[in-house]
């Protein structure tokens, strides 16, 4: 692979060759060593053969292992479903571009370019599912097809590389290599491939994917399914048995055989009526709607595969009526989802975003300092409990907590109304419940307290007296009788003062006018009726305590 160096080096110090970037190196061919047709390694698979395939992969020949991983997905619907669920859930997570930190004057332009080339164009959306093939096989390769213009390098697509073309260095078994046209394994050219490794366990890539542990469960389940099919072949089809009497002629026997054979399937026979045929079956293989021991064994292995791939079985195997069975399950357990997303981000940003930025802008900024790179972020946005947020605001705002409207609006998902938009409004002010404890407007608390100080104190006193008397019961003393009589009408006594506030609010065009009206009401609130009632009540209580006689309390509306 000889060509003109670009003057750039990758993260390992290898020079970047311009001509290599514009070629497709990993395409399959009809006559070469990279052929698209596999050999079908799962035919007649036995435990001994499976162990041999896994051992060959560790020894540097993973072709049969990659074919096995591919055929397992094709031949097992459950494994295909759960693996596809995991890959699709991760590939559909939100992607955003975060601008690089620092004072690089090119940062804004670079961020916009990355957004346009990789996200807006759909390049990453189309490639993520193939990159996530590493979930099952432990590694995946995607070849970057670059297009070069006069002043721009642009990746136009990512081509999935057949994993059967992948080899590893013999020393560490970790560095992926590509089979060349000469049949030998060659190191991957820098900035030409996206090599993703998503680990289910620690170790070399060939031992860290899900396909290796799942292969054993898949094989044993496959044996179970074969036994189940043989069982159904013998016992699942009704067997017609015709009996003939001793001495029946050949013509009678042939006629009887034609009769029973013409009914449905071919499972039919004739015997003398003095003979008997018995079909002996094990109880474990019958008498169950789910297939008995065969169905139970197959389900057991399916459950183990679900746990390995999704981290739980609730998504695919929830039981109706079981506790929690009717609840929504997360498709892929959250810790697995986050780990996959982090592995994807590390891979894409190091092997795709950084090469794009270095090719077009260089590895250093205008001041000569190493460049900071934008970051493609993959994951779910932070989930906030909107109901809890609103409930907290409703409870704490009346107590004086200041909350920005934009914070509530953004988290609820509402936009700022524009000029001319029809907006929802609070119900029109009607009557104010004088027994309510909260002041209508939190922002006006200071003004209301100043204008209505006597009114609020009287309301608090009346409410306190009412609570005490109701809890004390019928004490029978003069003061209790007098206070109880007066409490029945105290709301009406406060009505003139309340009406003044309501009229001021109704006449005001905005909050400013309402504040001015409250200021003008200071010291002018009509408290005459309530003051007279409290004076009479105080006198009656004093007189009753001094004389000791039961004084008939004045009813509301009387002068005393």
């Amino acid at each position: 692979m000889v060509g003109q160096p670009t003057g750039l080096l990758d993260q390992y110090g290898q020079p970047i060759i311009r001509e290599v970037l514009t070629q497709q190196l990993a395409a399959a061919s009809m006559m070469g060593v990279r052929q698209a047709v596999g050999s079908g390694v799962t035919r007649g698979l036995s435990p001994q053969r499976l162990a041999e395939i896994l051992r060959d992969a560790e020894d540097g020949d993973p072709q049969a292992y990659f074919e096995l991983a591919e055929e397992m997905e094709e031949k097992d619907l459950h494994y295909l479903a759960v693996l596809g669920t995991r890959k699709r859930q991760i590939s559909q997570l939100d992607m955003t571009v975060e601008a690089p930190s620092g004072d690089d004057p090119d940062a804004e332009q670079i961020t916009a370019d990355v957004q346009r080339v990789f996200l807006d164009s759909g390049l990453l959306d189309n490639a993520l599912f193939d990159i996530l093939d590493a979930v099952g096989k432990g590694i995946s390769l995607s070849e970057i097809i670059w297009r070069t213009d006069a002043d721009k390098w642009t990746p136009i697509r990512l081509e999935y590389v057949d994993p059967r073309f992948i080899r590893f260095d013999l020393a560490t078994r970790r560095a992926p290599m590509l089979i060349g046209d000469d049949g030998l394994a060659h190191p991957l050219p820098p900035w030409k491939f996206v090599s993703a490794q998503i680990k289910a366990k620690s170790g070399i890539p060939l031992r860290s994917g899900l396909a290796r542990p799942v292969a054993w469960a898949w094989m044993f389940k496959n044996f179970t399914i074969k036994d189940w099919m043989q069982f159904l072949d013998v016992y699942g089809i009704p067997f017609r048995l015709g009996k003939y009497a001793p001495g029946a002629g050949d013509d009678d026997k042939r006629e009887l055989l034609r009769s029973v054979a013409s009914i449905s399937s071919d499972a039919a026979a004739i015997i003398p009526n003095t003979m008997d045929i018995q079909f002996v079956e094990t109880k474990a293989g019958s008498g169950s709607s789910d297939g008995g021991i065969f169905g139970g064994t197959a389900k057991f292995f399916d459950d183990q595969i679900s746990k390995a791939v999704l981290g739980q079985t609730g998504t695919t195997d929830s039981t109706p009526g079981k506790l929690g069975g009717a609840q929504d399950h997360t498709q892929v357990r959250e810790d697995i989802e986050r780990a996959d997303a982090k592995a994807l981000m590390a891979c894409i940003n190091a092997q795709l975003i950084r090469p794009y930025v270095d090719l077009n802008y260089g590895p250093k900024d205008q001041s000569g300092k190493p460049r900071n790179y934008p970051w493609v972020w993959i994951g779910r946005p932070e989930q906030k409990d909107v109901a809890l947020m609103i409930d907290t605001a409703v409870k704490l705002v009346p107590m004086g907590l200041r909350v920005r409207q934009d914070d509530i609006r953004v988290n609820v998902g509402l936009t700022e109304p524009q000029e001319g938009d029809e907006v929802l409004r609070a119900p029109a002010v009607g009557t104010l419940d004088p027994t309510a404890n909260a002041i209508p407007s939190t922002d006006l608390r200071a003004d209301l307290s100043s204008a209505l100080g006597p009114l609020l104190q009287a309301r608090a006193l009346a409410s306190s007296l009412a609570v005490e008397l109701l809890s004390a019961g019928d004490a029978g003393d003069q003061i209790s009788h007098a206070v109880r009589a007066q409490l029945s009408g105290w709301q009406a006594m406060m009505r003139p003062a309340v009406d003044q506030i309501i009229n001021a609010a109704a006449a005001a065009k905005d909050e400013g006018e309402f504040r001015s009206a409250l200021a003008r009401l200071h010291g002018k609130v009509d408290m005459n009726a309530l003051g007279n009632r409290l004076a009479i009540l105080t006198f009656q209580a004093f007189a009753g305590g001094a004389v000791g006689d039961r004084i008939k309390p004045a009813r509301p509306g009387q002068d005393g």
Side-chain angles (χ1 to χ4, degrees):
M1 297 182 182
V2 180
Q4 181 66 34
T6 61
L8 297 172
L9 303 176
D10 70 355
Q11 63 268 39
Y12 304 109
Q14 303 177 88
I16 309 302
I17 307 301
R18 184 182 303 273
E19 287 77 10
V20 171
L21 297 180
T22 57
Q23 300 175 12
Q24 184 171 356
L25 305 178
S29 61
M30 289 289 294
M31 304 301 294
V33 295
R34 296 192 301 269
Q35 297 187 11
V37 181
S39 59
V41 298
T42 60
R43 288 195 296 266
L45 186 67
S46 65
Q48 294 79 11
R49 174 57 180 152
L50 177 57
E52 182 181 343
I53 291 174
L54 299 180
R55 188 165 50 249
D56 288 346
E58 294 179 28
D59 291 340
D61 184 11
Q63 180 171 341
Y65 168 74
F66 285 132
E67 288 187 15
L68 169 67
E70 190 76 19
E71 292 185 31
M72 283 165 50
E73 295 183 43
E74 295 175 353
K75 295 184 177 182
D76 191 317
L77 298 180
H78 182 82
Y79 182 53
L80 175 67
V82 294
L83 189 62
T85 295
R86 178 163 168 180
K87 293 195 289 186
R88 288 184 177 88
Q89 178 160 325
I90 307 304
S91 64
Q92 294 181 45
L93 292 175
D94 293 338
M95 289 188 290
T96 57
V97 180
E98 297 181 358
S101 59
D103 54 359
D104 186 350
D106 295 327
E108 183 176 351
Q109 181 61 44
I110 293 174
T111 302
D113 280 355
V114 170
Q115 174 74 37
R116 174 181 55 83
V117 171
F118 294 96
L119 272 61
D120 295 345
S121 67
L123 178 71
L124 281 180
D125 285 330
N126 297 331
L128 283 187
F129 187 83
D130 288 338
I131 294 175
L132 285 164
D133 194 46
V135 172
K137 300 178 178 68
I139 189 171
S140 71
L141 282 187
S142 298
E143 185 174 5
I144 308 172
I145 308 301
W146 294 91
R147 181 185 66 202
T148 177
D149 300 324
D151 59 346
K152 207 75 169 177
W153 285 85
T154 305
I156 56 176
R157 68 181 187 276
L158 297 177
E159 286 286 351
Y160 174 74
V161 177
D162 192 322
R164 294 178 302 118
F165 306 159
I166 301 174
R167 296 293 184 270
F168 293 88
D169 69 297
L170 297 179
T172 66
R173 301 291 200 277
R174 293 180 180 275
M177 306 175 75
L178 180 69
I179 295 180
D181 293 333
D182 55 5
L184 301 177
H186 298 273
L188 299 180
W191 293 2
K192 183 57 179 168
F193 291 89
V194 173
S195 173
Q197 297 184 23
I198 298 180
K199 297 182 177 182
K201 58 177 288 293
S202 299
I204 61 176
L206 285 173
R207 301 190 63 163
S208 62
L210 287 171
R212 185 181 180 91
V214 168
W216 292 101
W218 179 86
M219 182 185 65
F220 294 139
K221 176 188 171 184
N222 196 38
F223 289 161
T224 299
I225 298 298
K226 289 180 179 179
D227 293 339
W228 197 353
M229 293 302 101
Q230 292 174 356
F231 173 84
L232 292 176
D233 187 45
V234 176
Y235 296 104
I237 301 176
F239 190 87
R240 281 98 57 220
L241 184 65
K243 295 184 178 182
Y244 56 86
D250 291 341
D251 291 341
D252 294 334
K253 295 178 183 179
R254 283 193 292 270
E255 182 62 28
L256 178 60
L257 180 59
R258 280 196 300 270
S259 298
V260 296
S262 63
I263 303 175
S264 187
S265 63
D266 295 332
I270 60 173
I271 61 173
N273 57 11
T274 56
M275 297 179 61
D276 187 23
I277 296 179
Q278 294 184 355
F279 292 86
V280 180
E281 62 175 293
T282 62
K283 293 183 179 180
S286 63
S288 176
S289 60
D290 61 357
I293 191 173
F294 302 113
T297 302
K299 185 179 185 305
F300 168 79
F301 287 120
D302 280 345
D303 287 347
Q304 307 315 303
I305 293 174
S306 293
K307 293 174 186 176
V309 178
L310 303 178
Q312 46 89 18
T313 61
T315 298
T316 56
D317 304 292
S318 58
T319 303
K322 186 177 179 181
L323 181 63
Q327 299 177 354
D328 292 334
H329 292 274
T330 302
Q331 296 290 309
V332 180
R333 210 172 64 190
E334 292 181 359
D335 59 335
I336 296 177
E337 178 186 295
R338 288 194 297 269
D340 287 350
K342 287 184 177 181
L344 263 183
M345 285 189 285
C347 168
I348 289 172
N349 284 286
Q351 303 181 41
L352 197 57
I353 305 303
R354 179 174 177 175
Y356 171 79
V357 174
D358 283 355
L359 283 170
N360 291 288
Y361 293 92
K364 295 183 179 180
D365 62 20
Q366 296 181 13
S367 64
K369 296 184 299 184
R371 189 182 298 280
N372 292 324
Y373 297 88
W375 183 266
V376 173
W377 187 87
I378 302 174
R380 297 182 185 276
E382 181 182 358
Q383 300 294 322
K384 296 183 179 179
D385 192 335
V386 177
L388 178 61
M389 182 182 301
I390 294 176
D391 184 61
T392 301
V394 169
K395 291 179 179 178
L396 297 183
V397 165
M399 300 176 65
L401 178 69
R402 301 179 62 191
V403 177
R404 294 178 66 249
Q405 290 186 2
D406 287 346
D407 290 342
I408 300 296
R409 182 178 290 113
V410 168
N411 286 286
V412 173
L414 302 177
T415 58
E416 175 73 25
Q418 302 299 318
E419 186 69 26
D421 290 343
E422 294 187 7
V423 297
L424 298 176
R425 299 183 182 276
V429 178
T431 58
L432 183 64
D433 182 5
T435 64
N437 293 323
I439 297 175
S441 172
T442 302
D443 294 336
L444 303 179
R445 178 180 296 274
D447 294 333
L448 285 171
S449 298
S450 175
L452 303 180
L455 176 62
L456 296 175
Q457 293 175 7
R459 182 176 63 182
L461 175 61
S463 299
S464 176
L465 287 173
V467 172
E468 292 179 4
L469 288 174
L470 291 175
S471 61
D474 188 4
D477 56 87
Q478 287 290 343
I479 296 177
S480 298
H481 282 292
V483 173
R484 188 177 293 109
Q486 297 304 323
L487 284 176
S488 61
W490 72 274
Q491 293 95 336
M493 301 173 200
M494 296 176 65
R495 178 59 57 192
V498 173
D499 287 343
Q500 286 181 276
I501 306 302
I502 293 176
N503 293 335
K509 296 181 179 179
D510 52 33
E511 184 178 321
E513 288 191 10
F514 186 37
R515 289 179 181 273
S516 299
L518 288 177
R520 290 192 297 271
L521 284 176
H522 181 64
K524 299 179 182 180
V525 177
D526 186 0
M527 301 290 293
N528 293 330
L530 182 61
N532 291 337
R533 250 334 79 208
L534 289 176
I536 294 172
L537 175 61
T538 303
F539 174 78
Q540 289 178 342
F542 176 80
V547 177
D549 294 330
R550 180 177 294 275
I551 299 176
K552 183 178 181 180
R555 305 302 303 170
Q558 298 177 346
D559 293 332

